[in-house]
Each structure stands twice: as structure tokens, then as C-alpha cells.
């Protein structure tokens, strides 16, 4: 048995007054005691009186096949299979170093993440738990088509879902609008029609899989809502005059319980692709202005009761590196979400959206021993979340880490 005692604690939902002594054994949390409780006889304890213990973070939107450099998705076909295995391993190490112990991959190169997960490599080290969608389903030449998920027509869409279910994915990802990472696609336009998207949802639900839909443009967001998807990525409500997020739409999203992952946060200013640059000039706004607007828009979404979860889109560009999640959570706080609620979006709520609500995202006996200890109190200052003092994944600490 091993213990972690911190002067402050967040249990995935709320602050634990007086901190906590979290006891770990055999990869599980076996007890969450008051911060002042004596350690069991012979139990070694990591003492962090000035720190905070919380559940390991969950990043609900990553691309492990992307190496976090500009143009990486355009080059995604280039690495050999061994090269891709190395990229995925390095991506996961960066998440873990930032305190992220679970990731949901929402777009890989032709099931490379699924292959990695079933390889000997994944058992050979300490890694975050990986939930994966395989290649995102997209239109011919559509958003992220280079990942290998192009289809046309309802039969092929249904077939693509069946193939993913047979291979063993955990979630189905579908691109309902164009995006900013793929030149030639239009973020404001739909890539499919409602009947086709309904086919995807039907087929996935019949196989017991949730569906999450990438949607930037307002028509795509409306289509995703009408089709009954379980989650919406970005959910930008974008029009050519800027975001158009109505109270009615927010009420409907909140009522449906749809998990919305806004993928907030940038490390620096991204280099826009031509389609993103064209949209910015149409809006007459700078990137910084759009990012600021977006933060506050997501804050209003959260205030309206929408089930917002945290995720980063990590890996797709230099401004979207792996391990960005603490910054993404800080962006939520800047958008008006309380620190406690923002931390829940990156722990218990994200874990539930990943289908892991029964074993991850909370400090609770019986849950996986995934812990993050930070130096300071993130409730008082969310910036502290980016200062990991110790990370445990399944009770194990990564080699060479803090
Ligand atoms: Zn993405």
C-alpha cells in the first residue's frame, strides 16, 4: 500500500475540506481518508502539505498520431508503422507529464491508436489510459480525410460504423462540418445530410457505441442535435457573422445532456490555414479576438447548464501540443466558469463522457489509482494546475518524472 497526503484535495466534483490522505494498492484507490488521518502501519506516504491531490486529468479530445508541429496532419501518411508507434508513445508521455492520465483519441491514422493499444508497447511502460475512435468518418476530400475515413452515402456511412464496431473502437467520431485543420474544407458548411447522420447514430447505438460529432458551423451543430448524437466537438455555432449561439439552442443541449467539448486553449497564436484566414478576414476579426469571444461563449454555455467537458485537440499543431489540458481548463475559468466547475469538466465529467465514469475522474475507493498532485491550490489559482508535483497512472509513476 502507498499513500498520498496533501493539504488540499479536489475529489472530481468538489473540494474536500482539510485535504486528504489517498491510499493506493494494486492499481486502485483503496481509501480516501481525512487529511489529518494517521497512515496505516508500514504504509509509505508521499507528504505534500502545500499541495493539492486530485484525480488524474482526462483530455476528451486528442490526436495521438499528430506530433504537435504545424502541418502534422498533412504529413500523417508519412511515418512508417514503427514511426507512428513512436509518435503515439511520445504523445502519451507528454500528456502524462502534464497530469493527464486518460485521453480520448478522436481521430487517428487508420486505427493506429487501436493497434498501439493492443501492442506489446502499450504494456511496456506507464501510459495514460486510451479511449479511441479510430479514423474519423468524413466526406470524400473532407475534414481530416488524410486519416483514412472517407465515405459517401448512407450505406457507406453505416458500413464505416460497423467496421469500427468490429475492430473494437470505444466511440464513433464523425465530421459533420469542414474544419480549420484541412485546407479546402469549409467550417461553415455541412459534410453530410441529416438522414445520413441519423444512420450513423442508429448504427452506432445498435452496436452500443456513443457518437461524437465535430461541428463548427451553425447548420452542422443543428444537424448533430437533431440526429441525437451523444457529444459535440467544438460546437462553435459559427456563421459568417460570427458565433450565433441562441438561448433556445443552449436550453435544448442542456436538456438533451449532450457532452460538449469546446477544445478551448492555445499555446501561443496558431498559424492559420488559408480557409481559417479567409474566415477571419470575412469576420473582420483577429485570432485573439475570436479566441476571447469563444472563451466567453463557452462560459455562457456552461452557465446555461450544458454538460461541458474539457479537451484540447492536442497534437494537431504547434499551438495545440499534447499536454495542453491545464491551459484549456484555465481558458474555461477565464470564460467565467468557477475553478471547481472547470476542474470537474476535466475529471469526473470528462471521464463519464469517455465511458469511464465508474472507474476514473474521482478520488473514491475502488477507482483506478490515477492521481495528480500539484504544487499549490488550483481552486485559488487555476494556473497551479500546470505545476504537477507527482502523477500516478494505475498507481504507477512514470520513470524520470516529478
Ligand atoms: Zn480534433
Amino acid at each position: 500500500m502507498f499513500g498520498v497526503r496533501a493539504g488540499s484535495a479536489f475529489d472530481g466534483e468538489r473540494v474536500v475540506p482539510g485535504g486528504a490522505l489517498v491510499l493506493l494498492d494494486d492499481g486502485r484507490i483503496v481509501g480516501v481518508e481525512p487529511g489529518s488521518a494517521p497512515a496505516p502501519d508500514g504504509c509509505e506516504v508521499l507528504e505534500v502539505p502545500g499541495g493539492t491531490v486530485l484525480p488524474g486529468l482526462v483530455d476528451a479530445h486528442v490526436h495521438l498520431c499528430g506530433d504537435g508541429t504545424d502541418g502534422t496532419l498533412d504529413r500523417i501518411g508519412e511515418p512508417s508503422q514503427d514511426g507512428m508507434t513512436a509518435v503515439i508513445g511520445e504523445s502519451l508521455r507528454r500528456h502524462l507529464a502534464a497530469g493527464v492520465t486518460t485521453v480520448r483519441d478522436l481521430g487517428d491514422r487508420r486505427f493506429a491508436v487501436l493497434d498501439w493499444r493492443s501492442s506489446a508497447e502499450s504494456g511496456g511502460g506507464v501510459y495514460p489510459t486510451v479511449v479511441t475512435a479510430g479514423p474519423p468518418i468524413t466526406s470524400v476530400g473532407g475534414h481530416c480525410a488524410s486519416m483514412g475515413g472517407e465515405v459517401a452515402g448512407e450505406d457507406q456511412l453505416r458500413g464505416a460504423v460497423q467496421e469500427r464496431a468490429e475492430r473494437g473502437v470505444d466511440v464513433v467520431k464523425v465530421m459533420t462540418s469542414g474544419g480549420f485543420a484541412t485546407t479546402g474544407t469549409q467550417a461553415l458548411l455541412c459534410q453530410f445530410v441529416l438522414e445520413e447522420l441519423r444512420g450513423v447514430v442508429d448504427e452506432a447505438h445498435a452496436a452500443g457505441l456513443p457518437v461524437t460529432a465535430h461541428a463548427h458551423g451553425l447548420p452542422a451543430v443543428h444537424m448533430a442535435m437533431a440526429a441525437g448524437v451523444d457529444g459535440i466537438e467544438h460546437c462553435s455555432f459559427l456563421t459568417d457573422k460570427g458565433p450565433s449561439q441562441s438561448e433556445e439552442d443552449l436550453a435544448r443541449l442542456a436538456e438533451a445532456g449532450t457532452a460538449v467539448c469546446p477544445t478551448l486553449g492555445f499555446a501561443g497564436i496558431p498559424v492559420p490555414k488559408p480557409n481559417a484566414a479567409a474566415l477571419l478576414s470575412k469576420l473582420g476579426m483577429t485570432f485573439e479576438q475570436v479566441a476571447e469571444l469563444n472563451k466567453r461563449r463557452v462560459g455562457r454555455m456552461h452557465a446555461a447548464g450544458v454538460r461541458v467537458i474539457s479537451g484540447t485537440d492536442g497534437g494537431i499543431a504547434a499551438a495545440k501540443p499534447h499536454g495542453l489540458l491545464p491551459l484549456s481548463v484555465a481558458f474555461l475559468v477565464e470564460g467565467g466558469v468557477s475553478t471547481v466547475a472547470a476542474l470537474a469538466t476535466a475529471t469526473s465529467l470528462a471521464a463519464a463522457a469517455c465511458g469511464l465514469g465508474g472507474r476514473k475522474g474521482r478520488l473514491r475507493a475502488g477507482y483506478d489509482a490515477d492521481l495528480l498532485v500539484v504544487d499549490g491550490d488550483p481552486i485559488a489559482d487555476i494556473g497551479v494546475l500546470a505545476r504537477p508535483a507527482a502523477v500516478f497512472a494505475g498507481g504507477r509513476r512514470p520513470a524520470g518524472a516529478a
Side-chain angles (χ1 to χ4, degrees), residues 61 63 173 234 313:
H61 188 140
H63 297 280
K173 167 84 177 295
H234 318 301
D313 229 346

Side-chain angles (χ1 to χ4, degrees), residues 30-43:
V30 293
V32 181
E33 308 287 332
S36 56
D41 281 347
C43 175

Side-chain angles (χ1 to χ4, degrees), residues 61-63 106 143 173 175 214 234 263 313 316:
H61 188 140
V62 306
H63 297 280
L106 290 184
H143 184 48
K173 167 84 177 295
M175 303 299 204
H214 156 110
H234 318 301
T263 63
D313 229 346
I316 65 166

Side-chain angles (χ1 to χ4, degrees), residues 6-360:
S8 305
F10 170 77
D11 70 0
E13 207 173 350
R14 55 179 68 90
V15 173
V16 183
L21 169 63
V22 184
L23 301 173
L24 315 177
D25 195 24
D26 202 20
R28 297 286 166 84
I29 296 173
V30 293
V32 181
E33 308 287 332
S36 56
D41 281 347
C43 175
E44 190 190 333
V45 176
L46 173 69
E47 302 277 358
V48 195
T52 302
V53 61
L54 61 161
L57 304 178
V58 179
D59 189 332
H61 188 140
V62 306
H63 297 280
L64 298 172
C65 293
D67 62 11
T69 60
D70 288 329
T72 184
L73 297 188
D74 298 330
R75 298 188 302 272
I76 202 163
E78 292 173 14
S80 63
Q81 197 178 337
D82 284 354
M84 192 51 92
T85 299
V87 169
I88 292 168
E90 180 56 25
S91 300
L92 287 167
R93 278 188 285 277
R94 289 181 193 178
H95 282 286
L96 200 55
V100 175
T101 53
T102 301
V103 295
R104 183 173 68 162
D105 190 284
L106 290 184
D108 67 3
R109 184 185 79 181
R110 300 178 193 281
F111 302 99
V113 171
L114 202 58
D115 292 343
W116 181 90
R117 194 169 68 179
S118 53
S119 71
E121 191 67 32
S122 66
V126 183
Y127 291 108
T129 296
V130 176
V131 170
T132 179
I137 298 174
T138 192
S139 58
V140 175
H143 184 48
C144 293
S146 59
M147 293 177 177
E150 290 171 291
V151 288
E154 191 178 334
D155 288 350
Q156 283 190 17
L157 277 159
R158 285 181 179 268
V161 175
Q162 288 161 3
E163 182 193 7
R164 282 157 181 73
E166 280 158 21
R167 287 201 184 232
V169 303
D170 309 292
V171 53
V172 171
K173 167 84 177 295
V174 58
M175 303 299 204
T176 61
S177 75
F180 300 111
T182 308
T183 301
T185 73
Q186 302 292 331
L188 299 181
L189 300 183
C190 292
Q191 297 201 145
F192 298 107
V193 298
L194 179 57
E195 275 315 298
E196 292 173 324
L197 189 58
R198 283 203 169 120
V200 168
V201 173
D202 274 2
E203 207 66 50
H205 287 179
L209 293 175
V211 174
T212 195
H214 156 110
H216 280 302
L218 181 64
V221 173
H222 282 161
M223 183 169 70
M225 290 166 67
V229 298
D230 306 277
I232 303 181
E233 306 305 307
H234 318 301
C235 201
S236 313
F237 287 102
L238 257 186
T239 72
D240 59 5
K241 296 182 179 60
S244 173
Q245 179 179 280
S246 72
E247 295 303 319
E248 292 75 18
D249 282 343
L250 294 186
R252 276 174 63 207
L253 272 175
E255 169 78 22
T258 313
V260 172
C261 182
T263 63
L264 286 181
F266 289 90
I269 297 172
V271 182
K273 295 229 171 192
N275 53 348
L279 185 61
L280 284 175
S281 98
K282 197 179 241 176
L283 295 174
M285 294 171 86
T286 63
F287 170 80
E288 290 94 324
Q289 288 170 321
V290 171
E292 191 56 40
L293 200 67
N294 206 32
K295 243 185 250 178
R296 281 184 271 126
R297 181 185 70 77
V298 173
R300 285 196 297 279
M301 190 182 265
H302 186 273
V306 175
R307 194 146 65 96
V308 174
I309 60 169
S310 276
T312 58
D313 229 346
I316 65 166
K320 286 288 198 184
H322 295 292
L324 187 67
L325 194 63
L327 188 70
S328 191
V329 175
F331 267 58
L332 266 184
V333 173
E334 289 170 22
V337 178
S338 75
T339 50
V340 168
L343 288 172
T345 70
T347 52
S348 58
L349 293 171
C354 292
L356 297 171
R359 48 179 274 232
K360 293 189 182 288

